Amino acid sequence: MNIRILLRAVAVVIAAAAFVDPPLTRDVRHRHSLTVVTMHAGDVTHAERLGRRLSAEHDLTIHVADPASLAAACPSSGGCIVVSRGDVPPRLTAGATVVGALRVTSENGRRVIRRVDAPLMVHRDAAASLRVTLHRPAPRIDVLDGDVLVGSVEPGDALDVAITWVPLAEGARALRVVAQDDVADVGVIVDGSPVPVFVYEPEPTWAGTFVRRALDDDSRFAVAGRTRVAPPVTVTRGGAGPLSAAAIGDAGAVVVTAPHTLTAADVELFDRFVTRRGGSLILIPDQRPTGAVLRLIPRVAGQERERQPHDAGLLRVREWLTFERSAGTSTLVALGDDAVVVSRAVGRGRVVISGALDAWRFRGATSNFNTFWTALAWEAAVAAGKPLRLNVEPVLAEPGEPRRVEVELQSIDSVPRELSASGVMTCQGERQAVRLWPGGQPGMFEGSVRPAGSDTCQLSVAVNDATATVPLAVRREVQRGPGAEGALEAAVEAHGGIVVETGDGEGELAARASAQLATQWVNQATRPMQSPLWLIPFAACLSSEWWLRRRAGLS
């Protein structure tokens, strides 16, 4: 065959194939994407060691989670593994398959402190408490505020220890818990201003009188209220006006006696205080409740009376009510198997009711009557917070460490549609604007801050006319304690993953990732004629044929 004809035929075939553009199918290997998220920059080595096991089968990405970010830690596709010391990202996943989590355990297994539970806020004028859970017994546990020893206990063989400590001054305090050679740092806000509590007594009762006196004598509370002595006579205190949304709107807790006398309008107001404002309503009956208030409280199971008083927590009672246990109801004080003082979650807040009808009779020198009621009122008021709730946790940070900010406007009335929010953080005299973004609900805003310096920063926010301020403690080389017990397991297992420990656990996690994200062969169609490389042989054939024709003297 003439070479010129062959070259021309090849060029025609290439042109025809390019015009037809036939698809070709072949099996290709599909690799799943896998993201390894580490909660602490210091644990990247664990993530890299795990990544070496997984990179052969998966497209691997390793990154450090930003606790201040509003985005999910895990991506919206592929697989995800969390490397953590027990803490959980604010948002775990946006849709990725959570293969599991690698819990980083202490090297050489010498960790003594398992967990430290500290209140977010305590008062300057009252002793506070920390709860420390240990891995193994320690001869002594100390609590230090800077270089000052503020609390100490010798727990013996106990692994769950409560430590009483004394606040030194107001502001954000960095406490260090020391057990043998193990330490854990926690931040606590010490506040010196009293929390507002409203006491409403629609009729005088002995129980209400003694509870009110206990609150009046405690510097942690600013008590305002009204006592209706007779239909035309009302005694007020703290400048309290008539019972209304304005009168109780700023209070964190409202204490109500003789709840059986409340009208439907009263109950509707308290219901809005609890559900919308997020407040704490404390009911102190002196008889079995009846009437409109029943819609706010758990069902009463029964009423008991004995000749001799019995111990019910810090109280002593001879006559008491019992309440049915149900979803959303927590037992605060029990007498045997009976729930005597309970807290019921209602909307954003809570309703606490005491069934200890005659506890006031046994408030003598051997009773902790005042201690019980002041502690209950303090915890209830702090849980409710101020009308503008400002939350930054934890309040102890290293310089430049991001912290997530949550702001919520709480009001008995409906939250206004138009809200403007702004924030400023001041560190060592330098002011930094804080940008706040609307949250998931009306009145909620979110943002992030990065404290500077190594002392105390002050974060102030404003939503319309409401303002709030919170201090932040900034320290270098903070020793973080483990996360909340079971929090990591609960979050990961809810997404179908497993939690393993460093060491032998990496192999189990890698095997699970290979099973869940196994390599697949996918039938993929390709169109090879769309490649521009075909222009090279096409042009070569035409050029060669033209050159041969010219050489042979053909036109």
Side-chain angles (χ1 to χ4, degrees), residues 4-19:
R4 289 186 292 105
I5 297 176
L6 178 62
L7 291 173
R8 184 180 299 176
V10 172
V12 171
V13 170
I14 293 175
F19 179 78

Side-chain angles (χ1 to χ4, degrees), residues 119-124 126-129 165 167 188-192 220 378:
L120 178 61
M121 187 177 72
V122 300
H123 198 272
R124 175 199 58 200
S129 178
W165 61 282
V188 179
I189 296 176
V190 179
D191 193 1
R220 293 179 293 174
W378 170 260

Side-chain angles (χ1 to χ4, degrees), residues 130-169:
L130 292 175
R131 182 164 294 276
V132 180
T133 306
L134 305 175
H135 283 285
R136 60 177 186 272
R140 179 185 172 98
I141 304 176
D142 293 331
V143 179
L144 302 174
D145 186 343
D147 296 329
V148 180
L149 180 67
V150 294
S152 182
V153 68
E154 296 180 0
D157 294 332
L159 298 180
D160 193 359
V161 185
I163 305 176
T164 300
W165 61 282
V166 180
L168 293 181

Side-chain angles (χ1 to χ4, degrees), residues 95-119:
T97 300
V98 179
V99 176
L102 180 67
R103 182 193 291 275
V104 179
T105 55
S106 60
E107 299 179 0
N108 67 33
R110 298 184 62 187
R111 187 97 206 190
V112 178
I113 300 174
R114 178 189 295 271
R115 177 181 174 183
V116 177
D117 291 321

